[in-house]
Amino acid sequence: MSFLVRENPAKHRFEILVDDALAAFTAYIPRGEVLVFTHTEVEQRFRDMGVGSALIRGTLDQIRERGVRVVPQCPFMAAFIDRHPEYADLVLAVA
């Protein structure tokens, strides 16, 4: 199985393709140099295969390369970052 994480700026989301099929996406609202992530959805047939985690990891790696920050309002992304503290520096603290 091959994974590809790519941004779809027209839809304001990052997507993961599994063998060229859309398997999941994580949606965001752009706020300048910050992306507010609001929702992650994994297609039913790709659940429990690690696709969601691969999507979030690939998304955060691309965000790190771009030098922007995230606000993880999406519970799935927030939980992933809690479990992977190496991404905590990407989170913009909201007071």
Side-chain angles (χ1 to χ4, degrees):
M1 211 179 326
S2 65
F3 296 112
L4 171 67
V5 176
R6 67 177 185 197
E7 184 175 12
N8 183 337
K11 292 188 175 182
H12 291 199
R13 66 189 196 181
F14 283 81
E15 303 169 338
I16 189 167
L17 303 177
V18 176
D19 297 332
D20 297 323
L22 178 64
F25 67 87
T26 185
Y28 64 83
I29 300 168
R31 296 278 187 256
E33 294 297 306
V34 176
L35 299 178
V36 180
F37 283 86
T38 57
H39 179 69
T40 299
E41 191 170 313
V42 178
E43 293 292 324
Q44 184 67 41
R45 67 186 173 122
F46 292 107
R47 292 192 181 155
D48 300 320
M49 297 171 57
V51 170
S53 292
L55 168 63
I56 300 301
R57 182 179 307 281
T59 297
L60 293 173
D61 288 344
Q62 290 181 41
I63 286 170
R64 184 182 304 285
E65 289 173 13
R66 288 170 33 187
V68 297
R69 306 287 288 282
V70 301
V71 175
Q73 290 181 349
C74 165
F76 187 85
M77 179 179 273
F80 180 90
I81 293 170
D82 284 346
R83 287 190 317 272
H84 299 90
E86 64 270 24
Y87 293 108
D89 63 306
L90 298 176
V91 177
L92 181 66
V94 179

